Structure formats: structure tokens, C-alpha cells
Amino acid sequence: MASSNSLMYSLFQRSLEDLIKGIRLQLHGDSSFISKSLDEIRREIKLTDLSTKSIALQKLSYLAALHGVDMSWAAFHAVEVVSSSRFGDKRIGYHAIAQSFNDQTPVLLLITNQLRKDLNSSNEYEVSLALECLSRVGTDDLARDLTSEVFTLLGSSKAFVRKKAIGVVLRVFDKYPDAVKVCFKRLVENLESSDQHILSAVVGVFCELTTKDPRSYLPLAPEFYKILVDSRNTWVLIKVLKVFAKLASIEPRLAKKVADPICEHMRRNVGKSLLFECIRTVVSGLSDQETALKLAVAKIRDFLVDDDPNLKYLGLHALSIVAPKHLWAVLENKEAVVKALSDEDPNVKLEALHLLMAMVNEDNVSEISRILMNYALKSGPLFCNEVIGSVLLACSRNSYEIVVDFDWYLSLLGEMARIPHCQRGQEIGHQLIDIGMRVKDARPELVRISRALLIDPALLGNQSLHPILSAAAWASGEYVEFSKTSYDIAEALLQPRTSLLPPSIRAIYIHSTFKVLVFSLKAYFSAQESTSSPLVEESTSSVSSPENAFTYKSISSLVNMIELGLCSLSGTLDVEVQERAKNVLGFTGMIKHKIAEEVTAQGSEIEASRAVAFMEDVFSEELCPVSATAQEKFPLPDGLELKENLEDLQEICGEFLKPVVESNSNLFSSSEKISFSVARLRISDQQEASSSSSHPPESASLLAEHRKRHGMYYLSSQKSDDHNDSNGNNNTLNEYPPANEISADSFNPKKKMNQSKPRPVVVKLDEGDDFKMKPDASSNDEPLSRAIQTALMGKGKEKEREKDNHERSLDPGIKEQSSRKEKKTKKKNGEKSSKHRSRRRSDKDAIAAKPVEIVDFLL
Amino acid sequence: MIGCFGRRYDMLDNIHFVLLVSRQGKVRLTKWYSPYAQKERSKVIRELSGVILNRGPKLCNFVEWRGYKVVYKRYASLYFCMCIDQEDNELEVLEIIHHYVEILDRYFGSVCELDLIFNFHKAYYILDELLIAGELQESSKKTVARIISAQDQLVEVAKEEASSISNIIAQATK
């Protein structure tokens, strides 16, 4: 019964063609037909008849290749089909294996013998099938077991087989480096072959090998050189050029030697692919060879003006390789690059954009930005944002290194925000705040621009620009003292259309309004004081410009406006907005009363001004950037348990920890001056404490009590005394090294003297802000490169060399590891510091209300 | 499973994969020289055909994709795509594609999409003669044609044997 069934199946089996026709006939989706065919295939593939089996396998591999059907379940059947004596079946089997096997396929172990048999076959086509299969699925074991067969084939008299064997060597070396000992000599011998196909194959192998580890192949340079000079085959030459590009980068003398033959190839009328390879070799590996470089740049120019978009793109690409070392090559072709910005091909446009950004320096930044902004206005959303993003990136690099005129840059940021397609709100907002904190001189302009942004009706409707508004709102509140009229700012912050904003941003608006209000009141009172008693010290009023002089009328109209604007918000559903609005309203309610009284009775005014002064103090402290390496500057004390679970600490200290953290970050960020002194801060804290409130002693005693209870979490103060900071602040009270020190070079002494307007000071903390990742050097290479070096060196030197090599190849690994580690911690610290900042902002009131003594324990 | 990112460090391949996609987005041939799991393969195909089919006719033939470059060229209704590394020569790959098309053309006699649909395995075998381990191995059109027809002959002989009546009877009585 079973046998007659199987006969039925094999007699009426659908061929691949039937299957394809069947699929094409399906009008409404082919999934049901495919699953039906799959069932058929499952039945057929289990039959003993090999030809039925192989046709089933062929159908399956068709479905897998074109319809994404899984065929891993048929792995064993593929192995069965491969064992067929018929060439057609075998071919189907090998094809299926190459298509579906990977290193983890369990039946892979079963094909070793079959592969060996076929590699030794007298039929060259069977050998070729086995070689192709090995090149695709060769595992460590297969490579080891079949090395000797591959070695034999490397010397085959049939070029057809030999070149395939050469192609396989790559995989074998990669998986089983010891094969080098056996095969390398024969491989090298093939470099002298006269057959162009064999030569092409073997050079191809060396091309890939040198990519991984160029140094090992330096001894073969003479052979390669001979090919470079003699060969006229495009494919071979392209590969040899790639080899030399790698070798020349580590051996400058070689660069000098190959420059001439390469120039000759360039001058010869060669195909574009070879010409491009010559250009690329010169710009990437031989850029110190002047004549070669000049010739290459001339050829690049030909590419740039060519009508073929491929050549244009590649020309731009080649320029971008040469740009970092030889900017003149780009500058010479500036026109073509700018023209490429309006190309219809987005790839060409992007490449041109990258080149322009590479060209940017402090002299041409405004010109290039002007050009780019025009393109951003004209082009579609995708490219527009690409342009904006790269301008933002280039200008902010290394703490705004290339920006000299920050007023200009801020207006550029404002302009970007108004480009209709702009979606880079996050970055622009971030930079507005960042510049505000880093560049003191830019603050007046920042406030002006911020107000302009706030009252721009277009921005409110665009959600991706809300971060800009939030930054503008914050900046106009924080730096309100630089504004011409604080009334206008309050008006902008309270405009009715702010109801379009999400609550989190509205909260910032309200808080900024609060700051504006406090500032205005302060200005008003100090003006009053100075008129009534001119001897009063001019502490805060000095900054306010004449426009900010308030009369009773103007101040009360400001207060009224704020009340009017916020009273509707005291009932909003969002708690954050509601609470902030209520805070402000509570304050105005109190103050309004006092101001009104002030007109009649002189006495109460003092009380009001004291309350205002108190609020003023809350906002007076300045936010500064915190170094990303701040955390690293803390020496790790002995006995500190970092790995222990400290969750319970959170619980215990919940109520105490917060203010302490605040005061700590406070400490970092209030260091405007270079000399950083905790002692001074503490003294001022105490003065403030004695004059205004009785909180500090209270909280200090709380802390002492806390310390008594949870002493184990505190650090002993003696230990950190040993680490006095190295920056000359021999401040015995300060156990922390200054986190916020300003490095000397942030003053940019090297800047040109002839600038009409000096570049303002930009606070810059970390030298190596952006780390470059080193290329991944996989540890896999080691055995391979060692084996090859051994094969190339004489026996005597072998040991020494091996050791040397070992050290060398180990080194990058370690370096990379450590740099990665470094990066990781940096990142963590970066996050931490930004958290400090934001938390500090929201809890400012709390800090000022309870100045806490800075105690010597880690947060 | 081996992910498709970062894989290139342990694989030495010139061409990572070859794709043939029709203008309607139907896949006509896929060949993977680097290990991609089946799921990834479908994802890659979907992603790339989305990018490439939407490109206009006068644009350059290269697309940057996931840190690689995909070189493509359209012949009639078919897009031939090959994925290479950043440092590889795009123009060379364009020539390889053209080379492949010429060989197909010679083999099928002015090749069309239907030829590839119904002889999809032949297209594979020709590709295998052209590339090994993602490297170009045979640049002579004549040689490839000769090798392929020799192999076809081998298959034909075997097929006749298999389909003979006596063979079928032998099967049935087994």
C-alpha cells in the first residue's frame, strides 16, 4: 500500500514549473496555495525515491527564496539529496544547503564525508558544487577537516577548479587559521599565474585579507607591485589597488613607490571603475603624494561636472575622503558642491551637504549657513531637517568652537525655528539654553530672540517646535534682567494662545512669569529705596536698564495682568500648571496688597520689599553647565560599597536626601568664578540664615540625627581629606574637587586678534566631549594574522615575531575596551549632571528656604 | 541567530547579497552570501525594495543602507541589486551586474522577466558561476556559458535515465 502510494506521488508530482504556474494563477493572494503546496512537499520529500525528493526540495527552495517560507526543517533531506549520484539532484541539494544552512544547523556534521567525496571527484562540476557549498557554509570543523582537499585543489591543473578553490580559501582561513600553514604557499604561488581569472581570484582573496590586517601582508608587496605594473585587467587592478590602499596607509615608503604606476593608470584612458579606484586609493592612502593627489583631484573635478549622477555622487564621495587632510581640494570645487545641493538626487544632495559641513570654519560659517538656510527653505521636509541638523551639529561642535558672533548664531537659531518644515525643535531648544548658560555675553540677545519666538504665532501650532518655546520661555524668565521691558516678556508668556501648549510647557511659562514678576518687583522696590535713602547699596538695581524703571502704576498693571492671565488656570486639571499658577497668584495677592498700602503708609513697604528680596534670592543663583566628568573627579573612597543593594537607603532617606542633593548640585553650579570656594558659600549661607530664617540649624540637627541613625551609609570624613584637589584650591573644607572648573583654553587665547568683535567667553568643561570609537578589531583576527605572519617569515624569526605580533594585536583590544568603559561612565555621569540641573530648577524654592550645611558624604 | 549588524567583522565578503526585484515589488531571486536568518531576509527585502523602487530614473545607482551600500540597476522591468561594504567599488559592482545580465541574455536569448520566473534555478546556477563567496570569479561570458551548458547536458542525461519506463517499474516493484 505504502509503495503504491509513493508511486502515485512520484508519478503525479508537480514539477517546479507546475508550482510556479500554479502560484501565478492565484488571483487572490497566494498564501493558501503555498501552504497547500508545502503540505505536498512535506509528503514528497519523505519518499525514498531520490528524484522525487530532489524535485520536492527544489520546490521548497523556490518557496523559501521568493516567498520567505521556512525550510530549515528540511535540512536532513537536503543532505540526502546531495548524496545522489545524479548531477541534477546533487546540484539541487547543494543549492538548498547553501541557501538554508547556517553554523548552527545540526546536520552540518553529516555532510563532511559527502563534501570530501565530491571534492575528490573526477567530475570537475561536482568538485565545483562542493567548493561553492563550502564557501558558503564552511564551519570551523568543516574547514579543518577539508583543508587538505582544498590544498590539493589549489594546485589543480583545471583553472575552473583552481579559481574556485582559491575563492574558498578565504572562508577556510577565516574559520581555521591553521590552514594557513598548509595552503598559504600555494596561494602565494598563484599570484604569479598568467591566467587572469586565477589572478583575479587570488588578488581578491588578498584584498579581503589585507582589509582585516594589512601589516601581515607587507612582505608580499613586491608581488603586488608587479601585478600593478603589468596587469591590464580591470578587475585585477581594482583589487590590487585596494590592497595597496591598505598597505600604503601603514608603510609610507610604499606610498611613494606606487604613486607613479597609479598615476600612469589614471592618465591611461581606463574604465571609470578603475579610474575611480585609483582616485580613491590616492585620496585615502596616498594623500601625501603631491603629484598623485593633484592628478586625482583633477579627475574628481571631471567626475563632478559629469552628467552621470553616479560619477557626480562618487566624485563628491571622494572629496569627502580627502576633505579632512586637504581642504583645498574641496574649496577648489566649492561651486560644484554648492550646485550639487540642488541636485534632484537626495543622495547627491546629502553628500554635498556633508562636504559643505566639512568646509565650515569660523570665517565662512555665516556664509555657508546662509546658503544652507536658503536651501532648507526651498527643499522638502527630509532634506530640510538634514540641513538644519547638520548646521546645528557643526556649529555646536566642541562647545561652539566655530561660532564667534553669538548674537548672529542666536538669530540663526531663531530663523531655523521659523522654517516651515523644521522638526529639530529638541536640538534648537537645547542649544538656546546651553548658550544661555555657557555664554554670558549672549544673554541679552538670547532674551530678545526668546521673546520674538514666544510671540511668533506660527510656532505654537507646530508640535515639534514646542521644545523651542519651552527653552525660550525658560530663558526669558531666567535672564529677564537683560530684557528691555520685562512687561513685554510677561505679556508674551501670558498670551491666551499658550493654551495650545502641553501642560508641562505651560508650567515653564508660568514659572518664568513668576521670575519676571519677582525681578520687576525687586527693581521697583530698590528704585524706591534709592530715592528715599540714596545711601542704600546698589546691588540689584544696577543691572536694570532705564526702561525697566517701574512706577507704581506700571508695576501694578503688571501685577494685574499676571493675575488676570493666571486666575483662569487656578482651576485647570493639570496639577503642575494649577499648582504653579496658584503659587504665583498667592504671591501676587500678598504683594499687591503691600504695594497698595505703600502709597499711603511708608512702613509696610519694607516688609514687602523684604518678601520680594527673599524671592529674589531664590532665583538669583545662576545655573551653570556641569562637567560630564564631575563624577569621575571624586576619588572612590575605600570601603564604599557600590554593588550592594541600597534600595532601603532610598526609603530611609527619602525626606532628607532631597534637600541635601540639591544643595550639593547647588555647590557645583554656583561657581561662576574660577576660584571656587565652598567656604565662602557656606559663610554666605550662614549669613543668610542668621538674617532671614531659622531653618539651617534645624535641618543641620536633623542631619546630625540622621547620621547617627544611619551612620553606615556615610563616609568617614578623614579619608577624603587625603585627596586635596590639585587645582590650587587648598581649601581644607572642600573635600570635593571642583567639578566646574573652567579650563584655561576656554578663553581661547589662540584666537585671532584682528576680529572686530572679540569672541565671548564660552564656558567649556570637558576637553574630549566627543569620543571617537575605535574600529572594532575582532579578536578573531589574531590567530589568522599570526598564522600568516608565521607563514611569511623565516622559521628563525618566527618566535620573536609571533610574540611581537601577539602584543600588537592584543593592544587595540585592550585600549578599545578601556575607552569603551570610559565612555560608559561618562555617559552615566552626563545623565546624572543633567538630572541635577533639572531637579535643581524645579526645587529652587526648597533650597533657598532651607539652606542645608554641606556634609561630607556621597549622594 | 546571528544578527545582521556587526556581522561583517567576522565575514569576509565582497558582496553580501544579491536581490532581483520586479517593478511591482515581486522578488525574483535572492542570494545571500552572509548569514541572514529567514526573518531578517524578508525584512531586508521589504526595506530595500521600498527604497529602491521609489527612486526616480535619473538618480544615481547607489543607496546608503544600514551602513552598507546597495548598488542597483534597472533592466526593463527588473531591478538588480547587490549589497556591498562602504569601501567597495560601486562602479565595479555595476559592471558585475551588467555582466550578469549579459550572460543571462546570452543564455536565454534576449532574457525577459518570464525567463527568470520559470527558470529561477538556472539564474542561480549562472550566478554561482559568476560569484563565489561574494567575489567575482569568472569575468568571461563565453566561459560561463560553456560551463552552464556542460552542466545542463549532465542533468539531461541523468533525467532521461530516471524517466525511462524501466526505471519507473523498478521503483514500483521495490
Side-chain angles (χ1 to χ4, degrees), chain A residues 533-558:
Chain A
S533 52
L535 287 175
V536 155
E537 53 178 325
E538 295 176 26
S539 54
T540 47
S541 59
S542 54
V543 279
S544 59
S545 42
E547 289 93 332
N548 260 331
F550 285 93
T551 60
Y552 170 70
K553 214 173 143 198
S554 68
I555 199 81
S556 56
S557 76
L558 175 71

Side-chain angles (χ1 to χ4, degrees), chain A residues 590-648:
Chain A
M590 179 178 82
I591 282 303
K592 203 172 156 192
H593 184 63
K594 306 283 186 202
I595 302 172
E597 275 179 4
E598 178 259 340
V599 183
T600 50
Q602 198 62 261
S604 62
E605 177 253 327
I606 295 157
E607 200 184 325
S609 95
R610 197 189 293 154
V612 173
F614 182 63
M615 286 317 294
E616 170 75 11
D617 280 342
V618 172
F619 295 131
S620 67
E621 223 149 73
E622 204 173 325
L623 277 180
C624 290
V626 176
S627 165
T629 55
Q631 187 73 46
E632 265 167 35
K633 289 174 184 161
F634 286 84
L636 190 68
D638 297 334
L640 175 67
E641 289 293 340
L642 285 177
K643 284 179 184 149
E644 213 138 281
N645 189 358
L646 294 181
E647 256 173 15
D648 50 333

Side-chain angles (χ1 to χ4, degrees), chain A residues 163 277 280 310 345 347, chain B residues 32 60-62 88-89 138:
Chain A
K163 66 171 201 253
E277 198 57 51
R280 179 148 52 182
N310 288 339
D345 189 338
N347 289 353
Chain B
W32 309 85
C60 72
N61 295 85
F62 322 123
D88 287 326
N89 191 323
E138 181 55 69

Side-chain angles (χ1 to χ4, degrees), chain B residues 56-70:
Chain B
K58 278 184 197 154
L59 310 185
C60 72
N61 295 85
F62 322 123
V63 182
E64 304 236 358
W65 174 79
R66 294 194 190 176
Y68 300 101
K69 260 187 199 137
V70 176

Side-chain angles (χ1 to χ4, degrees), chain A residues 264-335:
Chain A
E264 219 161 277
H265 283 304
M266 276 197 276
R267 285 193 200 101
R268 226 160 34 94
N269 201 9
V270 291
K272 290 281 188 267
S273 58
L274 179 56
L275 179 58
F276 177 62
E277 198 57 51
C278 289
I279 292 172
R280 179 148 52 182
T281 309
V282 171
V283 295
S284 58
L286 276 62
S287 56
D288 298 330
Q289 307 300 316
E290 209 178 320
T291 42
L293 186 65
K294 281 207 172 121
L295 184 59
V297 172
K299 295 285 176 191
I300 290 176
R301 195 173 308 132
D302 294 345
F303 274 27
L304 287 178
V305 296
D306 203 289
D307 285 335
D308 183 350
N310 288 339
L311 297 186
K312 205 181 284 174
Y313 172 78
L314 292 176
L316 291 170
H317 183 70
L319 270 190
S320 70
I321 299 174
V322 82
K325 271 174 102 176
H326 301 275
L327 202 60
W328 60 267
V330 189
L331 294 172
E332 257 182 26
N333 294 298
K334 195 173 159 194
E335 257 172 58

Side-chain angles (χ1 to χ4, degrees), chain B residues 12-25:
Chain B
L12 298 153
D13 280 338
N14 187 4
I15 294 166
H16 296 287
F17 56 79
V18 179
L19 279 185
L20 259 70
V21 188
S22 78
R23 213 178 41 186
Q24 289 81 27

Side-chain angles (χ1 to χ4, degrees), chain A residues 20 65 91 95 99 125 132 136 160 163-164 174 197 208 242 273 277 280 310 313 345 347, chain B residues 10 30 32 41 55 60-62 64 87-89 95 117 124-125 128-129 135 137-138 150-151:
Chain A
I20 295 169
R91 187 155 73 163
H95 180 239
Q99 188 182 343
Y125 299 113
E132 259 155 33
R136 184 59 195 75
F160 170 65
K163 66 171 201 253
K164 289 201 179 187
D174 190 34
H197 298 131
E208 295 291 329
K242 278 188 193 299
S273 58
E277 198 57 51
R280 179 148 52 182
N310 288 339
Y313 172 78
D345 189 338
N347 289 353
Chain B
D10 52 292
T30 58
W32 309 85
R41 293 180 182 185
R55 282 175 67 81
C60 72
N61 295 85
F62 322 123
E64 304 236 358
E87 315 82 50
D88 287 326
N89 191 323
E95 280 171 27
I117 291 171
Y124 271 103
Y125 301 144
D128 280 348
E129 291 308 324
E135 293 276 349
Q137 55 157 335
E138 181 55 69
Q151 295 187 22

Side-chain angles (χ1 to χ4, degrees), chain A residues 9-291:
Chain A
Y9 285 138
S10 48
L11 267 182
F12 297 103
Q13 184 182 27
R14 267 189 236 256
S15 69
L16 177 62
E17 199 173 324
D18 297 335
L19 177 76
I20 295 169
K21 277 184 185 153
I23 290 178
R24 285 173 66 78
L25 282 176
Q26 304 304 309
L27 294 173
H28 315 288
D30 39 24
S31 58
S32 69
F33 183 80
I34 288 175
S35 64
K36 218 175 85 198
S37 312
L38 261 179
D39 290 340
E40 251 170 45
I41 289 169
R42 272 177 210 275
R43 275 200 303 272
E44 291 162 8
I45 213 166
K46 290 199 185 96
L47 301 180
T48 47
D49 178 33
L50 270 180
S51 63
T52 315
K53 205 189 271 289
S54 74
I55 289 176
L57 188 66
Q58 191 179 29
K59 289 193 283 185
L60 182 60
S61 44
Y62 172 83
L63 292 178
L66 301 192
H67 296 274
V69 169
D70 175 51
M71 66 178 290
S72 56
W73 56 271
F76 180 71
H77 301 296
V79 175
E80 284 180 309
V81 171
V82 162
S83 69
S84 164
S85 56
R86 279 191 290 269
F87 181 75
D89 297 346
K90 207 184 266 295
R91 187 155 73 163
I92 290 169
Y94 273 126
H95 180 239
I97 288 177
Q99 188 182 343
S100 64
F101 279 27
N102 59 41
D103 288 356
Q104 280 84 39
T105 306
V107 296
L108 207 56
L109 297 169
L110 300 177
I111 64 169
T112 315
N113 279 325
Q114 187 60 47
L115 276 174
R116 182 174 291 135
K117 203 177 133 210
D118 288 333
L119 287 175
N120 288 322
S121 163
S122 58
N123 183 341
E124 57 182 326
Y125 299 113
E126 284 182 1
V127 180
S128 123
L129 285 180
L131 282 172
E132 259 155 33
C133 178
L134 190 60
S135 81
R136 184 59 195 75
V137 300
T139 56
D140 302 5
D141 290 340
L142 280 174
R144 188 191 57 227
D145 295 340
L146 298 172
T147 296
S148 66
E149 274 76 16
V150 172
F151 170 74
T152 318
L153 293 173
L154 276 178
S156 166
S157 57
K158 293 171 189 154
F160 170 65
V161 172
R162 209 200 300 182
K163 66 171 201 253
K164 289 201 179 187
I166 291 168
V168 170
V169 159
L170 198 56
R171 177 102 189 184
V172 174
F173 281 5
D174 190 34
K175 295 290 176 185
Y176 179 61
D178 279 350
V180 171
K181 284 182 200 149
V182 185
C183 301
F184 198 73
K185 197 157 162 273
R186 270 214 179 152
L187 191 64
V188 174
E189 278 165 12
N190 277 311
L191 275 177
E192 275 147 34
S193 166
S194 55
D195 185 320
Q196 288 299 314
H197 298 131
I198 290 178
L199 198 58
S200 164
V202 72
V203 175
V205 170
F206 278 110
C207 174
E208 295 291 329
L209 286 173
T210 37
T211 310
K212 268 188 139 184
D213 170 35
R215 197 166 293 274
S216 303
Y217 304 94
L218 268 179
L220 289 174
E223 276 87 348
F224 294 136
Y225 185 78
K226 195 165 165 289
I227 296 171
L228 178 68
V229 176
D230 293 345
S231 178
R232 284 291 176 272
N233 182 308
T234 309
W235 312 97
V236 174
L237 283 172
I238 287 177
K239 296 268 158 60
V240 165
L241 282 169
K242 278 188 193 299
V243 170
F244 274 117
K246 289 284 178 301
L247 294 185
S249 63
I250 54 165
E251 178 54 86
R253 284 174 296 173
L254 202 55
K256 209 172 162 192
K257 186 121 202 281
V258 295
D260 278 343
I262 292 179
C263 285
E264 219 161 277
H265 283 304
M266 276 197 276
R267 285 193 200 101
R268 226 160 34 94
N269 201 9
V270 291
K272 290 281 188 267
S273 58
L274 179 56
L275 179 58
F276 177 62
E277 198 57 51
C278 289
I279 292 172
R280 179 148 52 182
T281 309
V282 171
V283 295
S284 58
L286 276 62
S287 56
D288 298 330
Q289 307 300 316
E290 209 178 320
T291 42

